[in-house]
């Protein structure tokens, strides 16, 4: 799978980055993300609106990691389309090695519960780069995506 920022879209007067995951050139999943001074939020998943947006990174909580905390957590309740869900996020500092190199990252493990379905997603975020690795486990399936290369935008 290849994950890339495809474009910036304005939805409901808010600029969102459209992240696309594809296999053999065919888009299999999309996310719409936004960064604010509070953190990074997922506003849509495969076209379904998330209300309120799911907080992938909480900058206030992440700042506590610099004070030698082993981990920080945050959680919330959301609606994905018409389905209610809840999530818990746990963040830790962790070194990660992918094809693009070795990085000091913030590992964010997200457990999303939506009815009987649970989705576990883990991101390794790197300052000024974005996420360099992502894993998703749901319905007996497991997906791992790792950064192969990084071309910094202008």
């Amino acid at each position: 799978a290849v994950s890339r920022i495809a474009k910036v879209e304005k939805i409901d007067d808010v600029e969102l980055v459209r992240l696309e995951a594809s296999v053999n050139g065919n888009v299999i999943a999309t996310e719409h993300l936004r960064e604010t001074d509070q953190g990074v939020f997922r506003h849509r998943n495969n076209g379904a609106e998330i209300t309120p947006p799911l907080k992938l990174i909480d900058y206030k909580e992440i700042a506590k990691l610099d004070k030698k905390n082993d981990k920080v957590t945050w959680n919330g309740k959301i609606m994905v389309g018409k389905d209610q869900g809840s999530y818990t996020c746990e963040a830790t500092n962790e070194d990660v090695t992918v094809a693009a190199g070795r990085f000091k990252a913030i590992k964010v493990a997200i457990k999303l519960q939506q009815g009987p379905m649970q989705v576990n997603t883990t991101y390794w975020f790197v300052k000024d780069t974005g996420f360099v690795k992502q894993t998703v486990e749901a319905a007996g399936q497991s997906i791992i995506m790792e950064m192969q290369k990084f071309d910094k935008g202008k």
Side-chain angles (χ1 to χ4, degrees):
V2 174
S3 184
R4 71 181 184 95
I5 296 172
K7 58 185 164 180
V8 176
E9 295 181 320
K10 199 170 206 177
I11 300 174
D12 298 328
D13 249 1
V14 176
E15 283 195 352
L16 303 173
V17 172
R18 180 184 170 101
L19 187 66
E20 294 180 345
S22 60
V23 174
N24 299 324
N26 298 315
V27 175
I28 60 167
T30 63
E31 294 181 63
H32 283 83
L33 307 172
R34 180 172 185 227
E35 180 182 30
T36 71
D37 59 349
Q38 295 175 12
V40 177
F41 298 83
R42 181 186 297 152
H43 284 249
R44 293 179 168 276
N45 189 55
N46 293 324
E49 182 178 9
I50 300 172
T51 311
L54 188 151
K55 192 181 296 185
L56 297 177
I57 298 181
D58 184 320
Y59 288 153
K60 180 178 158 188
E61 293 300 320
I62 294 295
K64 295 176 185 177
L65 287 174
D66 294 337
K67 297 177 179 147
K68 306 295 182 217
N69 284 3
D70 291 337
K71 68 181 175 182
V72 293
T73 61
W74 61 93
N75 55 55
K77 294 195 179 304
I78 56 172
M79 294 291 289
V80 181
K82 295 181 180 181
D83 298 324
Q84 187 170 14
S86 61
Y87 67 91
T88 300
C89 298
E90 180 178 290
T92 56
N93 286 313
E94 183 175 296
D95 290 341
V96 63
T97 301
V98 297
R102 183 169 173 82
F103 299 92
K104 290 191 177 299
I106 296 172
K107 176 183 171 184
V108 179
I110 303 166
K111 291 184 181 179
L112 173 64
Q113 188 72 43
Q114 206 171 343
M117 183 177 71
Q118 182 171 319
V119 179
N120 297 321
T121 305
T122 304
Y123 292 94
W124 285 260
F125 290 98
V126 175
K127 185 177 170 81
D128 298 326
T129 302
F131 71 89
V132 298
K133 183 175 180 179
Q134 178 185 13
T135 63
V136 180
E137 296 174 1
Q141 303 250 357
S142 181
I143 299 170
I144 300 171
M145 291 187 283
E146 295 183 353
M147 180 180 283
Q148 298 294 307
K149 67 177 184 169
F150 177 70
D151 297 323
K152 189 161 180 120
K154 296 176 181 176

